Every structure is written in C-alpha cells, then in structure tokens.
Amino acid sequence: MSFIKTKDGTEIFYKDWGSGQPLVFHHGWPLSADDWDNQMMFFLSKGFRVIAHDRRGHGRSSQTFSGNEMDTYAADVAALTAHLDLKNAIHIGHSTGGGELTRYVAQYGGGGRVAKAVLIGAVPPVMVKSEKNPGGLPIEVFDGFRTALAANRAQFYIDIPAGPFYGFNRPGAKVSQGVIDNWWRQGMAGGAKPHYDCIKAFSETDFTEDLKRIEVPTFVMHGDDDQIVPIADSALLSSKLLKKGTLKVYPGLPHGMCTTHPDTINADLLAFIQS
C-alpha cells in the first residue's frame, strides 16, 4: 500500500497504476479512492496512468482530528502531485472531490501541472443558502446530516446510498444492493470526526473566486435529477464562472451517475480528454 506523509504528519493513501498521461481522481464524501474503480479500470485499459487518493479522514488515510477543510485538502493533493512529480495531469472530481479539485487547481495548478479539469456532480460554487446564494440549500439540511451522523453513522450511511445518492428512491429504479453495500463499506472505513467536519467544508466553502482563477479547459458534468447537489445552484453557475468551461447536463441521471451509468460517463470523459 502506498502512502505519503504530509507536513502535519497525516498519512495519505493513494493508488498509482499504469503509465501515460496522468489522470487524478478526487472522490466524494464520505467515500474513498475505491469509488473510482470503474473509471480507473477503464482509463487504465486506454493507456492512461490513473491515480486516486483517500482524502484525509477518509478510507485508509489518517483519521485526522484537524485539517478537515478545503485549504488543507488542496494542500494534501499538492503534496501528492509533487511527490509523484505529475505534469500535464487531468484532474477529475466528483461532489466534494470537485470542491477539492477546484481549490487545488486554482491555487496549485500552474507551471504545467494541470492540463484539464472535470467537475462531476460537484459542489461549487457554494451549496448553502445565504443572501448572496439564495438558491442554495438551507443550513438545516446540513445540520440534519451532522445530527444523523453523530446519532447513528452506520444507519445514515445505508440511508444515503439506498435513497437519493444513486436515485434508488425513484420509481422504477434498478436498485443494486452491492452498490449500496460498497458505499457503506467505504464510508465506515473513514473517521466520524473528519466526516462530521467535512460536511461544513463541502457545504459552506465558497469556490466562486477559485472557479474564476482556473485557466485550463474544464468539463462540467451534472445529472439534472441530482438530489444531493442540485444542478441549478451548482453546475449551471460554475460553468458560467469558468474561463474555459463546457457544461453537459444528463437528463434524469442521479448524483452517483459515475457508478449507475459508467459507460455514458466514461465515454464522455474520454472524448473530453482526447479533445
């Protein structure tokens, strides 16, 4: 198993497979690098080098008491990319990982390190409702997440994938127990405290200025039936803030569309990467 140690002593687990142009995958909350298995296997077969890490507090990385916020998450990614000496990399982030990617590319993506970026069901610009963001979700939604996590994390981590994350609560949905169990497995491998803190990080961090600073071509992919990160206050806004943003909306697809519709997502990712 491969780890790097950051300046504050946190151990970050990562996978690094293959050779060729590097693709770096940033996972969602409260998951791990394993959430990208389908994409990593697909792009490995296409001749790319595929890399994914477990965010601090998640998966096999250290269950950190502190640093569970976007500036530190981005710094951890910078430490990993420097360790691996990645150049001309394409960064792909889902959900919370899209926020981490946005902060990383805005702050550390210069000098030829980043060639392109992809935001999938991503949390930017900002999720929580405020005077400046009237279309956001009320803070009570995220307070509810925190209450449920603290009360019974194990049950909460069944309810999310069994319901809105993959759209399994929709009429006629083809439910996969294996997908639900795998989400639970990944979530429970991480730490309760960092997961609790990360709710604030993914919901309240404002990425508006980060999006404006990104210079590289960025592909924004979002399902219009995303019940976790509603499209109207995320992708539709982010794509307008990006200098070189391209938006693609997926009718009827859920938040976890990389898992439920991998053939569609992988084909579009490949087309963007090769464009």
Side-chain angles (χ1 to χ4, degrees), residues 4 6 12 14 16 22-26 49 51-53 73-91 100 104-105 107-110 112-114:
I4 63 161
T6 66
I12 302 293
Y14 69 94
D16 181 5
L23 309 183
V24 183
F25 295 90
H26 305 247
R49 178 183 178 187
I51 298 152
H53 70 291
Y73 294 158
D76 290 346
V77 175
L80 176 62
T81 56
H83 174 76
L84 298 176
D85 194 25
L86 301 183
K87 301 287 176 60
N88 197 38
I90 295 170
H91 285 256
E100 175 184 88
Y104 165 76
V105 175
Q107 293 191 355
Y108 303 95
R113 287 212 177 272
V114 178

Side-chain angles (χ1 to χ4, degrees), residues 37-270:
D37 282 353
N38 189 293
Q39 283 69 43
M40 291 182 71
M41 292 297 288
F42 173 82
F43 284 102
L44 189 64
S45 75
K46 298 296 181 182
F48 291 91
R49 178 183 178 187
V50 293
I51 298 152
H53 70 291
D54 291 356
R55 186 174 303 114
R56 65 168 55 215
H58 296 64
R60 289 140 292 204
S61 293
S62 300
Q63 294 194 11
T64 45
F65 175 77
S66 60
N68 304 300
E69 34 71 27
M70 286 295 168
D71 284 342
T72 304
Y73 294 158
D76 290 346
V77 175
L80 176 62
T81 56
H83 174 76
L84 298 176
D85 194 25
L86 301 183
K87 301 287 176 60
N88 197 38
I90 295 170
H91 285 256
I92 301 164
H94 175 243
S95 194
T96 299
E100 175 184 88
L101 176 158
T102 299
R103 182 60 51 90
Y104 165 76
V105 175
Q107 293 191 355
Y108 303 95
R113 287 212 177 272
V114 178
K116 295 180 180 180
V118 183
L119 299 174
I120 306 175
V123 299
V126 59
M127 287 193 73
V128 74
K129 184 177 182 178
S130 66
E131 288 186 10
K132 292 169 59 177
N133 186 41
L137 294 171
I139 189 68
E140 289 79 13
V141 171
F142 305 108
D143 288 341
F145 282 14
R146 282 181 275 263
T147 299
L149 187 154
N152 189 343
R153 185 166 68 122
Q155 184 61 49
F156 186 41
Y157 287 4
I158 293 173
D159 294 342
I160 296 173
F165 197 94
Y166 296 111
F168 290 162
N169 56 345
R170 296 305 197 203
K174 185 179 179 182
V175 178
S176 168
Q177 189 62 47
V179 165
I180 295 168
D181 291 348
N182 190 42
W183 202 102
W184 184 91
R185 175 191 68 84
Q186 292 177 68
M188 293 304 293
K193 172 64 165 61
H195 285 180
Y196 187 96
D197 291 351
C198 189
I199 295 170
K200 181 181 178 68
F202 74 65
S203 64
E204 298 182 39
T205 304
D206 189 339
F207 298 98
T208 300
E209 296 306 315
D210 298 288
L211 291 164
K212 292 177 181 178
R213 289 178 61 187
I214 292 176
E215 302 281 351
V216 298
T218 304
F219 189 24
V220 181
M221 311 167 73
H222 216 106
D224 72 0
D225 193 33
D226 190 323
Q227 301 172 67
I228 303 295
V229 183
I231 188 172
D233 200 57
S234 55
L236 300 188
L237 302 180
S238 290
S239 58
K240 295 175 182 177
L241 292 166
L242 290 157
K243 293 176 181 176
K244 299 178 182 177
T246 302
L247 172 66
K248 182 161 185 179
V249 177
Y250 295 81
L253 294 200
H255 189 59
M257 63 185 185
C258 292
T259 297
T260 59
H261 296 77
D263 292 346
T264 298
I265 301 307
N266 291 349
D268 285 352
L269 281 172
L270 181 61

